């Protein structure tokens, strides 16, 4: 079956990164890749810190963090006064959960597309407080309207204290209609936490337009920031209730300062994040988004065709800028978390290709990403070699 042609490459994209050229890096979504410009900016900040640690930490650092926060919040269309820098989405979720004051009889609602570490955090907070955790089953092929209907039917006003929903899911690369979901939950006064781990840099939607009570997204994936850079955005009614996981010297400053200041943490990743956004902007953000989405779709069709998956069975996330696509693996392969991890390692070791493999709803799924440093031949090579590897069970 014919495969549509790949998009025109973004010239020089590979040269912006220090990735090993002997490896096909087709899994940008897991840990991102930091452009050389941002790496060097962070190293200069580390040199400054080590040259005079007391001056670095004690003179002006809080203001530098606040300036960075305003810059990053502006890029995402978020209120800078309601935004706090944090290390990653998992940390931001933990902050929100422990700030809610959950009690026995309360429940936290998630979907079966949720990220594993977030699920662990929800379960732990529910065990600690006596609350319950309930999971909504959302079919992979559900339309946006059907997703909203599932959520509406699953809410329990008076009992549901928090709804956690992904903007773009990790395991299934599904774009959720988060603004509509926030609206439905808001009809019953139920707060919503949006896990937007993959949104910054990939998706164009403004945080303000979503209107969630809590929104947390990573800049170190599609925003090209050094790792350990994320933003937690909190609605005005909740800001004074947000408490850090560890109390430090800015506690009396309130939100967001009390959340950001963690004593002798290494803040250089945050401070150099604007250099990552500079790289993204220099390439033209819209152009990068369109290229990455088209390349991921191309990779999905090439590899799917090699595995004998009909185009109709290849999930389409429904968004023109979604740069992650999944492919169903043959029955019986990678159906458990351990099996998925083992297959991912085999592909890396034997095929020199980094991909993501997930076990979701009893089936294994291969996830491919598109990025400016990728080329069509990397997906073509995987398509040639993967069927033989999968046959060697």
């Amino acid at each position: 079956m014919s495969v549509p042609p790949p998009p025109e490459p973004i010239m020089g994209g590979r040269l912006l990164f220090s990735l090993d050229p002997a490896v096909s890096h087709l899994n940008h979504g897991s840990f991102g890749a930091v452009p050389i410009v941002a790496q060097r900016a962070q190293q200069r900040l580390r040199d400054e810190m080590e040259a005079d640690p007391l001056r670095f930490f004690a003179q002006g650092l809080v203001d530098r963090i606040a300036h960075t926060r305003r810059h990053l919040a502006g890029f995402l269309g978020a209120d800078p006064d309601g935004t706090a820098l944090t290390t990653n989405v998992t940390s931001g979720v933990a902050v929100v959960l422990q700030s809610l004051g959950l009690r026995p009889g309360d429940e936290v609602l998630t979907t079966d597309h949720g990220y594993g570490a977030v699920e662990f955090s929800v379960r732990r907070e529910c065990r600690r407080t006596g609350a319950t955790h309930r999971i909504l089953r959302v079919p992979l092929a559900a339309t946006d309207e059907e997703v909203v209907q599932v959520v509406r039917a699953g809410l329990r006003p008076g009992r549901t204290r928090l709804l956690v929903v992904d903007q773009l899911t990790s395991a299934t690369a599904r774009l959720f209609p988060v603004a509509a979901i926030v609206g439905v939950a808001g009809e019953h006064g139920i707060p919503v936490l949006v896990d937007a781990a993959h949104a910054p840099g990939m998706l164009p939607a403004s945080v303000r337009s979503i209107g969630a009570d809590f929104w947390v997204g990573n800049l170190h994936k599609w925003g090209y920031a050094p790792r350990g850079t994320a933003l937690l955005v909190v609605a005005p009614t909740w800001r004074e209730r947000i408490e850090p996981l560890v109390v430090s010297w800015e506690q009396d400053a309130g939100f967001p300062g009390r959340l950001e200041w963690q004593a002798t943490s290494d803040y250089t990743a945050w401070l150099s994040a604007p250099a990552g956004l500079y790289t993204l902007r220099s390439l033209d953000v819209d152009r990068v988004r369109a290229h990455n989405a088209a390349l991921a779709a191309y990779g999905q069709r090439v590899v799917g065709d090699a595995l004998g998956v009909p185009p109709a069975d290849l999930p389409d996330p429904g968004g023109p800028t979604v740069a992650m696509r999944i492919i169903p693996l043959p029955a019986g392969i990678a159906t458990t978390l351990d099996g998925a991890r083992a297959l991912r390692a085999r592909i890396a070791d034997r095929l020199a290709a980094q991909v993501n493999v997930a076990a979701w709803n009893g089936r294994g799924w291969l996830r491919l990403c598109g990025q400016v440093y990728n080329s069509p031949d990397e997906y073509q090579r995987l398509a040639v070699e993967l069927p033989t590897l999968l046959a060697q069970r």
Side-chain angles (χ1 to χ4, degrees):
M1 187 170 294
S2 62
V3 175
E8 288 296 320
I10 293 181
M11 300 305 295
R14 184 86 179 201
L15 298 177
L16 297 172
F17 299 84
S18 55
L19 295 165
D20 183 351
V23 176
S24 295
H25 302 273
L26 306 178
N27 186 22
H28 186 89
S30 283
F31 295 102
V34 184
I36 295 171
V37 168
Q39 293 180 42
R40 291 175 175 170
Q42 184 176 19
Q43 188 57 54
R44 287 194 295 271
L45 286 162
R46 284 175 169 158
D47 291 343
E48 177 190 345
M49 177 172 62
E50 298 306 331
D52 193 340
L54 186 59
R55 181 182 183 87
F56 182 86
F57 283 96
Q59 297 185 31
L61 181 55
V62 171
D63 290 338
R64 293 171 79 174
I65 293 171
H67 177 76
T68 300
R69 178 208 315 138
R70 287 192 292 270
H71 182 93
L72 300 179
F75 174 75
L76 295 175
D79 177 5
D81 294 329
T83 301
L85 279 154
T86 186
T87 54
N88 52 40
V89 166
T90 307
S91 297
V93 169
V95 166
V96 172
L97 287 171
Q98 63 91 38
S99 298
L100 286 175
L102 295 173
R103 297 175 295 181
D106 294 337
E107 74 170 16
V108 177
L109 193 60
T110 65
T111 78
D112 59 347
H113 294 253
Y115 187 60
V118 171
E119 295 292 302
F120 288 147
S121 189
V122 170
R123 292 174 200 168
R124 186 185 71 171
E125 190 64 17
C126 287
R127 286 196 304 268
R128 190 181 69 83
T129 62
T132 58
H133 173 210
R134 190 160 55 89
I135 300 174
L136 295 177
R137 308 296 176 184
V138 180
L140 184 60
T143 65
D144 285 353
E145 293 76 13
E146 290 168 342
V147 172
V148 173
Q149 291 173 6
V150 169
V151 171
R152 186 188 299 274
L155 297 174
R156 295 176 179 175
R159 183 171 181 181
T160 305
R161 288 289 309 283
L162 182 69
L163 169 63
V164 183
V165 63
D166 296 65
Q167 188 166 352
L168 176 62
T169 66
S170 177
T172 58
R174 168 65 200 254
L175 190 66
F176 271 25
V178 287
I181 290 172
V182 168
V184 167
E187 295 172 4
H188 303 286
I190 296 172
V192 178
L193 167 58
V194 174
D195 176 344
H198 295 278
M202 187 203 295
L203 303 179
S206 164
V207 175
R208 284 192 184 92
S209 69
I210 295 171
D213 300 85
F214 313 100
W215 181 100
V216 58
N218 292 321
L219 271 295
H220 54 243
K221 293 180 183 286
W222 305 91
Y224 294 169
R227 292 173 195 88
T229 306
L231 289 182
L232 171 62
V233 184
V234 179
T237 55
W238 288 96
R239 291 171 191 171
E240 290 308 309
R241 297 176 58 178
I242 295 296
E243 291 286 347
L245 300 176
V246 178
V247 173
S248 193
W249 285 101
E250 289 295 308
Q251 180 65 15
D252 292 340
F255 183 88
R258 66 164 54 138
L259 193 64
E260 293 173 334
W261 187 259
Q262 293 294 301
T264 51
S265 291
D266 185 346
Y267 300 96
T268 61
W270 296 356
L271 298 180
S272 52
L277 286 185
Y278 171 81
T279 302
L280 181 59
R281 287 179 167 129
S282 70
L283 295 173
D284 185 335
V285 178
D286 291 337
R287 182 185 177 205
V288 169
R289 287 169 173 160
H291 167 273
N292 292 349
L295 192 57
Y298 171 79
Q300 182 193 44
R301 284 292 301 273
V302 169
V303 177
D305 188 54
L307 296 180
V309 181
D313 292 340
L314 293 173
D316 182 351
T321 62
V322 173
M324 303 193 303
R325 294 287 184 118
I326 61 172
I327 303 161
L329 292 170
I333 294 179
T335 58
T336 66
L337 178 59
D338 288 343
R341 288 173 172 170
L343 178 57
R344 183 181 63 194
R346 285 176 61 208
I347 294 172
D349 292 342
R350 300 188 187 183
L351 306 185
Q354 294 291 354
V355 300
N356 187 69
V357 180
W360 186 78
N361 276 7
R363 184 160 192 175
W365 299 83
L366 179 77
R367 190 188 74 192
L368 298 175
C369 299
Q371 190 48 262
V372 298
Y373 52 73
N374 292 130
S375 59
D377 64 283
E378 294 178 298
Y379 305 93
Q380 295 163 7
R381 185 167 57 251
L382 180 65
V384 170
E385 299 174 342
L386 184 60
T388 300
L389 183 143
L390 294 179
Q392 298 169 351
R393 286 192 267 177

